[in-house]
Amino acid sequence: MYSSEAKGGKAIVLKSRDEILIMQEANQIVAETLVLVSKSVNPGISTWDLDRIAEDYCKRKKALPAFKGYRGFPGSLCVSINEEVVHGIPSRKRKLRKGDILSIDFGVCYKGYYGDSAISLAVDKIGVLEHKLLQVTEESLNKAIEKVIVGNRISDISGAVQIVVEKNGFSVVRQFVGHGIGTALHEGPEIPNFLQSDPSPRLLPGMVLAIEPMVNMGTYRVKVLRDGWTVVTADGKPSAHFEHSVAVTEQGPLVLSSRLNMQ
Ligand code: MG
Ligand code: MG
């Protein structure tokens, strides 16, 4: 979740092996939190309740919720339902309903380093097309991660997402992009989910990238609601979002926020 800033951009900071290990700890707290919150995703629970679960767990792990207070964001989680793309604000009034799709984005700061990851999931039973949207979005992230190879370019990641998404008849959001991550939540480079004509940076060992396809069922166009945060699709059709923080290593991609082996 990062609004693309024109020209200049933020610096790309390479991390040492030790720093990557700390970032893995941070991202594992994020991953554990997402798994924990997922278990409570059911019709009737409010997005505020989910936010409490995340914040409590994060505090137990001695990590700071990274989004709370970020440019004034009021929650620990970003919770975005159906046509909401990203940056939905947790609310006591907003209760999940059967058939919703819910995107949960979470970040922490731990030992001075950030972790950032997102998942989208079904609330009870959802429609066939909604199910496909979730599957395709996750697949586009997985294909993008396969491109995290030293010597590739950021555009290889962008292109991998775009191909999977458009082949399946969906669209990628342009206005928000992935990002480098480290001692700041948002570092360079920007990681668009679509190909651009400008040459993009080459991947170097020690880069850590938060790759986060935001995929819409209809138009790629989005708008921001009057709360100043919630991003929704322009046509009101559903959207999904998956994100992993991934280190570039000589041995290939290291998914720091992996949920494999978690129950
Ligand atoms: Mg992010
Ligand atoms: Mg995120």
Side-chain angles (χ1 to χ4, degrees):
M1 67 115 157
Y2 174 45
S3 177
S4 177
E5 283 169 20
K7 308 306 163 212
K10 296 184 166 78
I12 298 172
V13 185
L14 301 181
K15 283 83 187 175
S16 69
R17 206 187 134 74
D18 286 348
E19 288 180 298
I20 288 173
L21 289 174
I22 299 171
M23 291 192 71
Q24 190 167 33
E25 290 182 61
N27 275 288
Q28 284 298 294
I29 296 169
V30 174
E32 287 159 14
T33 306
L34 290 174
V35 169
L36 182 67
V37 170
S38 300
K39 289 177 182 164
S40 293
V41 168
N42 280 306
I45 194 165
S46 76
T47 55
W48 172 267
D49 292 330
L50 298 179
D51 190 75
R52 293 296 88 205
I53 292 166
E55 194 171 310
D56 289 349
Y57 184 75
C58 176
K59 282 185 178 159
R60 268 209 329 261
K61 290 292 189 172
K62 311 223 179 310
L64 288 171
F67 304 162
K68 195 162 200 172
Y70 181 86
R71 295 185 179 176
F73 188 79
S76 289
L77 290 179
C78 291
V79 278
S80 309
I81 301 170
N82 298 333
E83 79 283 1
E84 296 169 358
V85 180
V86 285
H87 305 172
I89 299 171
S91 164
R92 286 188 182 85
K93 289 185 211 150
R94 193 73 194 269
K95 297 204 160 87
L96 300 182
R97 293 185 298 193
K98 183 179 176 180
D100 284 341
I101 60 176
L102 172 70
S103 300
I104 307 171
D105 193 350
F106 188 57
V108 302
C109 186
Y110 183 72
K111 298 181 180 173
Y113 290 83
Y114 283 86
D116 190 6
S117 183
I119 54 173
S120 293
L121 62 168
V123 181
D124 206 331
K125 203 169 161 47
I126 57 172
V128 174
L129 208 51
E130 282 77 7
H131 182 73
K132 185 182 170 193
L133 180 69
L134 298 188
Q135 265 191 330
V136 167
T137 307
E138 188 164 28
E139 187 195 338
S140 75
L141 174 57
N142 291 334
K143 292 290 182 200
I145 291 169
E146 288 175 12
K147 300 291 182 187
V148 178
I149 303 290
V150 173
N152 273 357
R153 289 186 185 273
I154 292 296
S155 56
D156 293 304
I157 295 170
S158 309
V161 171
Q162 188 172 20
I163 286 166
V164 172
V165 169
E166 294 184 353
K167 185 179 74 186
N168 282 282
F170 300 137
S171 67
V172 289
V173 172
R174 266 72 166 156
Q175 207 175 320
F176 296 87
V177 297
H179 50 93
I181 181 167
T183 54
L185 180 59
H186 297 133
E187 298 181 350
E190 291 191 356
I191 311 169
N193 295 301
F194 59 100
L195 283 170
Q196 292 179 302
S197 48
D198 297 349
S200 64
R202 278 205 194 277
L203 303 188
L204 298 169
M207 283 182 174
V208 182
L209 308 173
I211 306 171
E212 48 180 318
M214 288 149 268
V215 176
N216 295 352
M217 197 181 279
T219 178
Y220 70 83
R221 290 199 172 78
V222 297
K223 56 186 183 182
V224 180
L225 295 186
R226 244 179 282 167
D227 63 18
W229 281 105
T230 314
V231 178
V232 297
T233 56
D235 59 8
K237 290 187 178 174
S239 184
H241 179 211
F242 281 86
E243 176 179 26
H244 271 308
S245 293
V246 184
V248 185
T249 81
E250 296 283 8
Q251 290 76 38
L254 177 61
V255 182
L256 303 178
S257 51
S258 173
R259 295 180 303 280
L260 294 176
N261 308 318
M262 286 184 193
Q263 294 249 310

